[in-house]
């Protein structure tokens, strides 16, 4: 079983993400970034609490708000910033910008919901190769309005694919409050597809770590999908 990082190391990772994002927003205001950018400020504990429990061969699939996930998984903020500034030293030679990253076993895409089929395909690949690697995909509450999400939930459950779905419910899809757009309970949507789900409301990296390591171990052991819903802001 993977050993826990010391508490001080978890907070260091969170601070790196925070300082990186604050710098990114300043550069964006100065017009030094290509395209748009979505900061991860306030959700640092989610990325650190989940991703530090993964093995090096596990895959992370992220969304438009991907910087915190990438920095935690790959620990290369310099290459990420170069990518966002359109420089040759960037992860994708400066072609992907803030939202479209490909770096070995880390992928992100800015198309809302578009990462779900990608994550399912990667999880199917791990099952086909009979590895014990898993895929973790991060989605937001806004993704719950996309039909492709539910098509994918049906597939990953029916085919029993090794994937952990992390819902970062920050209560707003861009600028629209979840109360305006979402019917029913988030957790029930995953249960409807026979996907075991845990829902927590916390900013505490330790609690997120403890909940996620248990689900990660279950996905790795059973090969079945699970879901972690983090109510955050």
């Amino acid at each position: 079983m993977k050993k826990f990082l010391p508490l001080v190391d978890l907070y260091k990772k969170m601070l790196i993400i925070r300082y990186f994002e604050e710098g990114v927003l300043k550069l964006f205001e100065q017009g030094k970034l290509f395209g748009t950018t979505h900061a991860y400020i306030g959700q640092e504990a989610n990325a650190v609490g989940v991703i530090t429990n993964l093995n090096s061969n596990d895959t992370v699939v992220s969304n438009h708000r991907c910087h915190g996930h990438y920095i935690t998984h790959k620990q290369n903020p310099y290459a990420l910033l170069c990518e966002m500034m359109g420089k040759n030293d960037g992860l994708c030679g400066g072609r992907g910008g803030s939202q479209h990253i490909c770096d070995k076993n880390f992928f992100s895409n800015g198309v809302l919901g578009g990462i779900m089929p990608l994550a399912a395909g990667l999880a199917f690949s791990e099952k086909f190769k009979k590895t014990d690697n898993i895929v973790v995909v991060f989605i937001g509450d806004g993704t719950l309005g996309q039909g492709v999400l539910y098509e994918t939930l049906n597939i990953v459950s029916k085919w029993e694919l090794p994937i952990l779905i992390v819902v970062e419910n920050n209560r707003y899809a861009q600028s629209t409050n979840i109360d305006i757009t979402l019917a029913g309970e988030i957790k029930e949507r995953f249960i409807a597809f026979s996907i075991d789900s845990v829902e927590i409301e916390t900013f505490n990296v330790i609690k997120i770590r403890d909940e996620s390591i248990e689900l990660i171990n279950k996905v790795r052991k059973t090969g079945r999908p699970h879901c972690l819903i983090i109510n955050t802001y």
Side-chain angles (χ1 to χ4, degrees), residues 32-34 81-88 90 93-95 97:
K32 294 182 178 180
L33 300 185
F34 284 84
L81 184 58
C82 287
E83 180 64 29
M84 297 168 68
M85 298 183 75
K87 297 183 178 295
N88 290 333
R95 298 177 180 87

Side-chain angles (χ1 to χ4, degrees), residues 18-39 41 67 77-87 98:
R18 174 63 65 94
Y19 291 150
F20 180 89
E21 294 291 57
E22 288 177 345
V24 161
L25 291 178
K26 291 178 181 178
L27 290 172
F28 183 74
E29 291 175 356
Q30 296 168 8
K32 294 182 178 180
L33 300 185
F34 284 84
T36 188
T37 188
H38 300 269
I41 289 174
H67 308 156
Y78 171 78
L80 175 58
L81 184 58
C82 287
E83 180 64 29
M84 297 168 68
M85 298 183 75
K87 297 183 178 295
S98 171

Side-chain angles (χ1 to χ4, degrees), residues 6-213:
L7 180 59
V8 65
D9 289 342
L10 296 180
Y11 281 111
K12 283 180 179 178
K13 289 179 179 294
M14 291 171 63
L15 280 171
I16 289 171
I17 295 170
R18 174 63 65 94
Y19 291 150
F20 180 89
E21 294 291 57
E22 288 177 345
V24 161
L25 291 178
K26 291 178 181 178
L27 290 172
F28 183 74
E29 291 175 356
Q30 296 168 8
K32 294 182 178 180
L33 300 185
F34 284 84
T36 188
T37 188
H38 300 269
Y40 198 64
I41 289 174
Q43 299 179 199
E44 297 90 348
N46 302 346
V48 173
V50 174
I51 295 173
T52 53
N53 296 316
L54 298 177
N55 296 335
S56 59
N57 290 326
D58 292 331
T59 297
V60 173
V61 180
S62 183
N63 49 53
H64 60 285
R65 204 176 298 278
C66 61
H67 308 156
H69 304 143
Y70 178 81
I71 292 171
T72 306
H73 193 46
K74 291 299 184 180
Q75 304 177 58
N76 194 354
Y78 171 78
L80 175 58
L81 184 58
C82 287
E83 180 64 29
M84 297 168 68
M85 298 183 75
K87 297 183 178 295
N88 290 333
D89 287 345
L91 306 169
C92 306
R95 298 177 180 87
S98 171
Q99 303 179 61
H100 299 91
I101 295 172
C102 176
D103 187 8
K104 296 180 181 177
N105 56 339
F106 184 96
F107 305 92
S108 71
N109 193 303
V111 178
L112 190 63
I115 59 175
M116 284 301 298
L118 169 63
L122 292 166
F124 178 82
S125 175
E126 298 297 346
K127 179 175 182 176
F128 183 81
K129 292 183 290 186
K130 298 181 179 179
T131 73
D132 66 346
N133 302 327
I134 72 168
V135 174
V136 176
V137 57
F138 288 87
I139 65 174
D141 50 277
T143 312
L144 299 171
Q146 300 295 313
V148 69
L149 168 68
Y150 302 102
E151 296 179 48
T152 305
L153 293 182
N154 185 66
I155 288 174
V156 298
S157 180
K158 196 65 178 177
W159 292 358
E160 298 187 337
L161 301 183
I163 184 170
L164 174 62
I165 303 159
V166 180
V167 181
E168 296 183 278
N169 173 26
N170 60 24
R171 298 174 173 84
Y172 282 86
Q174 196 70 13
S175 58
T176 306
N177 189 285
I178 194 172
D179 293 336
I180 299 174
T181 60
L182 190 69
E185 300 297 324
I186 295 177
K187 186 176 180 180
E188 296 299 324
R189 295 169 180 240
F190 295 89
I191 293 174
F193 291 94
S194 299
I195 296 175
D196 291 340
S197 303
V198 172
E199 184 171 8
I200 57 177
E201 181 143 1
T202 184
F203 301 99
N204 189 323
V205 68
I206 302 302
K207 185 173 182 180
I208 295 171
R209 179 198 66 183
D210 293 346
E211 291 288 354
S212 64
I213 190 62

